[in-house]
Amino acid sequence: MSKKNALQFLDIPRQDPAKKAVEVRIEEYAEIYGRFDAKIAADQAGRCLHCGNPYCQWKCPVHNYIPNWLQLVNEGNVEQAVEVCHRTNSLPEICGRVCPQDRLCEGACTLFDTNGPVTIGTVERYITDTALESGWRPDLSAVVDTGKRVAVVGAGPAGLACADVLARNGVKAVVYDRHPEVGGLLTFGIPEFKLEKPIVQRRRAVLEGMGIEFVLNTEIVGKDDEQGRSSVAGAGSAGATKSFDDLLGEYDAVFLGTGTYNYMQASIPGEDLPGVHAALDFLISNVNHCYGWEKSPADFVDMAGQRVVVLGGGDTAMDCTRTSARQKAAAVHCAYRRDEANMPGSKKEVQNAKEEGVKFLWNRQPVEIVGDGKVQGIKLVTTALGEPDERGRRRPEVVPGSEEVVECDAVIVAFGFRPSPAEWMTAHGIDLDERGRVVAPEEQVCAMQTSNPKVFAGGDMVRGSTLVVTAIWDGRKAAEGILDYLQV
Ligand code: SF4
């Protein structure tokens, strides 16, 4: 073992992975960050102070053993590092790409305010990419088959994480999804410039190698003769259905992780004008277009030549601005009702959007979408930040007489999502709360169990829209709950 230089952070500054030039990245749907090589990864990992109380680990929603795998990378031991990564995280290469690290692990790093935090996310990505590319695969040779079978509904991050933990504990997981590919929003919602789809497909192959089975293009419905909803993924859906009763009959337990797909409306006049789009519909249509998955060319929402205003300040809003820029919109604005410091989105994504030509309208609140038969502009009022609300965030207050109209041709509403529970859930004894979320508490004898003892749930459908990494946590916790329920 090499001798650790405890003060390496003084000698070696934080180094972020190289970014492609704006002129290059704006022309393609491809990840914008380069990779660390072994030397840089080791140097960056070696900046970790190994503080007695690793705040990064506590702030990470899956509580990754961050200092441990940083040390292993510093020693050049990727093979062991990837094993440690997978003890807490089912999709580490994906979290390394899409987590808002500045709000999570890196934001909690002791070096954050002084020398720059350790590049935790990039090192996590380095470990998993390097290991998978060199042929490493999870070793399940010691796993004993329990003979139990669990149906997982939804192949998004919660479902994949649940299946991963079940497989590692000898339970056969069969994952159903109505889309033609696995990943849920990892595949259909998150743009390629943050997560290239072959990364998700590689993980699918890893999971299949662990014995997990995927049944795609299949919607779970209330009754045998019920029609499935049309797939948001578009083409390729055979529209097969399977009843929830059949799942309950065929499997020892069921996990639900179907996410949230209803968008939060702006609830302002003009929202029904042609040219107003829901963020997710827009992002999905772009992925479908790029991959030839669209049912009809008319499904593609094309911003070429248009003046676009995106409403919202989260990561989905940034995804929309940056996708619009790649579609060659004439201008892209993002209007957010608080200031930059109070944006919920990742600072890194805001910076990337700025570099790609997006203009921000801070402290602006939409009050009306104006137009005659189509969108012609958006009426905004200026806000000032007032007293903190119950969550401690300062409330935006309207400045009287501050109305202005920003001319535009398209508006994308990115205010988040509402739960979209299937109608059959309550008929099967699965309780929902007043906001339509499935009730499945973590803190109980069998974690994430719903009011139907055989059914577990996690991710967005339980929490409302949340982070990928939080959905992974839920899926893993639910698998533990299922193992307790099955007493295996
Ligand atoms: Fe950071 Fe996300 Fe990885 Fe946790 S999972 S260490 S929050 S990048």
Side-chain angles (χ1 to χ4, degrees):
M1 185 186 292
S2 62
K3 192 166 182 323
K4 173 89 178 83
N5 171 12
L7 300 180
Q8 184 156 316
F9 69 94
L10 292 176
D11 301 332
I12 298 178
R14 173 186 165 99
Q15 181 176 339
D16 285 299
K19 267 198 274 190
K20 286 180 187 165
V22 172
E23 315 78 72
V24 175
R25 67 198 209 211
I26 207 78
E27 295 297 328
E28 59 182 23
Y29 292 100
E31 290 181 7
I32 69 169
Y33 290 103
R35 300 257 305 259
F36 281 169
D37 62 21
K39 165 87 171 67
I40 295 176
D43 284 350
Q44 290 296 304
R47 295 182 68 245
C48 177
L49 290 174
H50 294 275
C51 356
N53 192 351
Y55 297 109
C56 56
Q57 186 167 320
W58 295 112
K59 191 75 179 176
C60 166
V62 291
H63 305 306
N64 274 337
Y65 302 129
I66 298 167
N68 303 64
W69 44 250
L70 287 175
Q71 181 165 350
L72 287 164
V73 172
N74 185 236
E75 294 165 3
N77 191 346
V78 171
E79 199 155 318
Q80 204 177 333
V82 77
E83 296 284 353
V84 179
C85 276
H86 281 83
R87 278 187 211 155
T88 50
N89 194 350
S90 301
L91 310 172
E93 75 284 23
I94 291 173
C95 291
R97 288 170 164 84
V98 305
C99 273
Q101 286 99 8
D102 49 9
R103 287 198 276 135
L104 299 174
C105 51
E106 294 181 16
C109 176
T110 306
L111 294 174
F112 186 83
D113 288 325
T114 52
N115 301 67
V118 177
T119 43
I120 297 169
T122 310
V123 173
E124 188 175 23
R125 176 159 71 101
Y126 163 79
I127 293 169
T128 327
D129 284 346
T130 306
L132 289 173
E133 282 164 13
S134 66
W136 174 88
R137 292 295 180 269
D139 178 8
L140 272 59
S141 58
V143 172
V144 178
D145 184 2
T146 63
K148 301 291 185 188
R149 288 163 51 83
V150 171
V152 173
V153 184
L160 297 182
C162 182
D164 173 55
V165 174
L166 291 172
R168 289 170 189 270
N169 286 277
V171 174
K172 172 79 180 178
V174 181
V175 185
Y176 291 85
D177 199 288
R178 62 191 167 121
H179 299 139
E181 248 308 331
V182 310
L185 292 185
L186 299 177
T187 295
F188 298 101
I190 296 178
E192 295 250 28
F193 45 80
K194 282 165 62 179
L195 174 61
E196 291 177 1
K197 305 314 164 195
I199 301 295
V200 184
Q201 285 153 6
R202 182 178 67 187
R203 179 53 66 169
R204 172 184 175 175
V206 170
L207 295 170
E208 285 174 330
M210 294 165 64
I212 294 164
E213 195 179 321
F214 291 100
V215 182
L216 302 176
N217 289 319
T218 301
E219 173 133 25
I220 304 305
V221 296
K223 294 188 173 54
D224 280 336
D225 56 354
E226 196 175 310
Q227 291 289 310
R229 287 170 290 177
S230 63
S231 165
V232 295
S237 172
T241 60
K242 187 172 181 67
S243 80
F244 192 64
D245 281 329
D246 283 350
L247 287 189
L248 290 174
E250 290 171 22
Y251 293 92
D252 297 294
V254 177
F255 172 74
L256 300 176
T258 54
T260 52
Y261 283 90
N262 289 343
Y263 85 107
M264 210 96 80
Q265 294 190 301
S267 300
I268 54 177
E271 199 168 2
D272 53 355
L273 281 169
V276 181
H277 306 279
L280 201 49
D281 293 351
F282 170 62
L283 294 173
I284 289 170
S285 91
N286 192 65
V287 171
N288 285 340
H289 181 69
C290 291
Y291 276 83
W293 288 332
E294 58 200 353
K295 282 179 179 160
S296 138
D299 292 343
F300 179 43
V301 182
D302 188 1
M303 296 302 177
Q306 304 209 46
R307 297 164 300 173
V308 180
V309 175
V310 178
L311 305 178
D315 285 348
T316 303
M318 293 314 109
D319 292 347
C320 292
T321 61
R322 300 177 63 203
T323 298
S324 300
R326 281 163 178 74
Q327 288 186 356
K328 301 286 178 289
V332 186
H333 284 91
C334 178
Y336 177 58
R337 64 195 184 128
R338 291 187 170 89
D339 60 11
E340 182 168 3
N342 284 284
M343 277 188 90
S346 164
K347 305 274 176 282
K348 181 174 76 174
E349 295 306 312
V350 174
Q351 180 59 30
N352 287 336
K354 285 181 181 173
E355 290 169 5
E356 291 166 14
V358 176
K359 301 276 184 272
F360 284 85
L361 301 165
W362 306 114
N363 296 104
R364 302 296 213 296
Q365 185 168 316
V367 290
E368 183 181 352
I369 299 168
V370 294
D372 186 7
K374 64 181 179 64
V375 172
Q376 291 171 315
I378 182 150
K379 192 180 287 179
L380 304 166
V381 288
T382 301
T383 60
L385 292 182
E387 293 301 310
D389 61 16
E390 52 289 344
R391 290 196 294 171
R393 298 181 72 203
R394 292 176 65 194
R395 288 177 211 276
E397 293 172 357
V398 174
V399 176
S402 61
E403 278 187 7
E404 61 179 324
V405 173
V406 175
E407 290 185 6
C408 62
D409 311 298
V411 173
I412 301 174
V413 181
F415 286 157
F417 309 100
R418 289 183 291 111
S420 43
E423 284 173 12
W424 47 260
M425 288 182 186
T426 45
H428 285 85
I430 300 166
D431 287 350
L432 308 178
D433 69 9
E434 66 291 347
R435 287 165 58 188
R437 297 174 300 188
V438 172
V439 178
E442 185 182 324
E443 303 298 332
Q444 56 177 331
V445 176
C446 297
M448 316 306 288
Q449 190 174 36
T450 71
S451 46
N452 179 333
K454 202 171 180 180
V455 181
F456 293 72
D460 289 4
M461 66 189 310
V462 168
R463 295 175 183 264
S465 54
T466 185
L467 298 172
V468 167
V469 64
T470 313
I472 292 170
W473 168 262
D474 279 1
R476 294 178 64 88
K477 277 283 141 193
E480 290 173 15
I482 291 169
L483 295 172
D484 288 338
Y485 170 71
L486 298 177
Q487 301 191 327
V488 291

